Amino acid sequence: MPAAAGGVSPISQPIAAPLTRAAIFLIVAINPGAENCTVVRSLCGDLAALLRAVGFREPDENLSCIMAFGSEAWDRLFGEPRPAELHPFREIRADARHAVSTPGDLLFHIRAGRMDLCFELATQIMARLEGAVSPVDEVHGFRYFDSRDLLGFVDGTENPEAQAAIDATLIGDEDPAFAGGSYVVVQKYLHDMAGWNALPTEAQEHIIGRTKLSDIELDDTVKPSWAHSALTVIEENGREIKIVRDNMPFGQAGQGEFGTYFIGYSRSPRTIEQMLANMFIGRPPGNYDRILDFSRAITGNLFFVPSATFLDEVTPDSPPTTEPPAAEPPQPIPSVSDGSLGIGSLKGKPRL
């Protein structure tokens, strides 16, 4: 398996890159056949060069690309060893609320200051993978005014920065074979804008947990326990565990489609899984995120982001070291009647 040479720390992919004005979220499935896996492995080692070729034309626009792998794709491409916490996205059902699990083998998260650069890199990637993959989903996201979502609120205010972002997203000694990697969860949400806009601003602010104009978090004395900003705070051993979000609005005005593409990076998927359990099931059960009365998840995926060092050292003819196991089906979180989240312990070992 590719690894950092001489014990040198691996170089991570640009997970904590600054937020940009444009992004493309591209998910594809690897077609059956060993030859198609060879094509994908070939791109792994060449992705950095492809990125340089496109980004060099406009260096000030900060073009970047993250390549990530689903659980079944990892088995087909690389075999053992596996990232310790890689598994299919686990759907959640609670009453009418449903966090769906959808297909997808590879994720390309492409970011830049301009959409034309994102589009060119996505075009070049798909040209390299022609015949080897089939498109599953492609979303073109845009930065909306002063980093607001289409619901009108600033998105990503609590993102960690600098070293805090690295600590929140990059794997360390807890899985040394994959140090410098990360996990990413993506979900595509569609909004009922007519219903949302019918609410008074004060009601919207209570659902989000922040003021709409000034983006100030509501005081705990007035913020409901079911507010979005309350349910997505995860604490472990008395310390808040952060993730890095790079959400983007998207839509088609003529089709009445208005959405938010959620993308969250974390050094353990358990953090985001707990956030989603709090939102969809509630904390305690039934005390769910009221934003879900107006927003519906139509996709859901979990991917592993290996280090850039790992990608650089992948070769086209490096097949899995073992026969890949049968695909693990998504493990749904059952509707809650006994207070259990149905996904085992979400605490585990502290992440330093």
Side-chain angles (χ1 to χ4, degrees):
M1 293 292 292
V8 178
S9 298
I11 298 172
S12 65
Q13 295 193 61
I15 292 166
L19 303 182
T20 56
R21 300 294 306 178
I24 290 179
F25 308 95
L26 177 62
I27 295 178
V28 301
I30 305 172
N31 293 333
E35 68 280 5
N36 295 320
C37 291
T38 299
V39 172
V40 173
R41 285 194 295 266
S42 177
L43 175 65
C44 293
D46 294 343
L47 183 61
L50 200 60
L51 175 64
R52 287 193 298 270
V54 177
F56 184 77
R57 308 177 201 179
E58 298 286 350
D60 293 337
E61 298 298 337
N62 299 316
L63 177 67
S64 66
C65 178
I66 289 170
M67 184 178 187
F69 303 84
S71 180
E72 184 177 352
W74 185 275
D75 293 332
R76 291 182 61 192
L77 294 167
F78 309 121
E80 296 290 344
R82 284 173 52 86
E85 297 188 81
L86 180 59
H87 55 259
F89 182 88
R90 293 166 177 164
E91 69 172 349
I92 305 173
R93 288 184 181 270
D95 298 326
R97 301 174 299 281
H98 187 196
V100 298
S101 177
T102 49
D105 288 330
L106 307 175
L107 166 69
F108 297 95
H109 179 198
I110 305 171
R111 292 177 280 186
R114 291 188 349 219
M115 180 56 75
D116 58 343
L117 285 169
C118 297
F119 187 81
E120 174 66 11
L121 182 56
T123 300
Q124 295 296 335
I125 288 172
M126 290 305 293
R128 283 291 306 271
L129 295 176
E130 185 176 4
V133 302
S134 298
V136 173
D137 191 37
E138 180 176 344
V139 173
H140 293 206
F142 53 88
R143 191 63 60 197
Y144 191 55
F145 294 110
D146 50 337
S147 296
R148 295 180 184 268
D149 56 29
L150 296 184
L151 301 179
F153 286 78
V154 175
D155 196 358
T157 303
E158 296 299 323
N159 261 355
E161 298 179 345
Q163 186 62 45
I166 294 172
D167 293 341
T169 57
L170 297 188
I171 294 168
D173 292 340
E174 69 270 26
D175 192 6
F178 295 99
S182 186
Y183 294 91
V184 59
V185 171
V186 296
Q187 290 178 295
K188 186 169 155 183
Y189 285 87
L190 294 181
H191 305 313
D192 171 14
M193 293 304 300
W196 178 258
N197 289 331
L199 293 177
T201 297
E202 184 178 5
Q204 294 180 355
E205 292 176 337
H206 278 80
I207 290 173
I208 299 299
R210 308 185 78 88
T211 57
K212 192 169 187 178
L213 179 62
S214 59
D215 188 39
I216 303 299
E217 188 166 3
L218 298 182
D219 188 88
D220 288 342
T221 59
V222 298
K223 181 170 59 178
S225 59
W226 40 258
H228 179 73
S229 64
L231 292 173
T232 53
V233 171
I234 304 300
E235 293 185 346
E236 197 171 89
N237 299 324
R239 181 171 62 90
E240 184 177 352
I241 307 299
K242 295 279 192 175
I243 68 170
V244 168
R245 300 170 177 85
D246 201 355
N247 302 350
M248 281 281 195
F250 69 91
Q252 299 182 79
Q255 301 297 321
E257 178 186 82
F258 303 92
T260 296
Y261 200 95
F262 166 76
I263 179 165
Y265 291 95
S266 177
R267 66 190 293 173
S268 168
R270 288 177 286 121
T271 303
I272 301 176
E273 288 170 343
Q274 181 67 74
M275 289 181 178
L276 295 179
N278 291 350
M279 289 174 59
F280 283 80
I281 297 173
R283 185 175 63 186
N287 195 53
Y288 69 92
D289 190 338
R290 298 309 193 269
I291 200 172
L292 297 177
D293 291 340
F294 305 91
S295 300
R296 175 170 57 95
I298 62 171
T299 69
N301 300 87
L302 167 65
F303 298 96
F304 177 70
V305 183
S307 68
T309 303
F310 180 98
L311 290 180
D312 287 343
E313 296 183 5
V314 171
T315 59
D317 57 349
S318 55
T321 56
T322 63
E323 285 294 317
E328 179 185 348
Q331 300 177 28
I333 301 176
S335 298
V336 176
S337 59
D338 60 357
S340 168
L341 294 179
I343 52 178
S345 172
L346 291 170
K347 290 189 177 293
K349 297 179 179 178
R351 295 182 294 282
L352 304 176

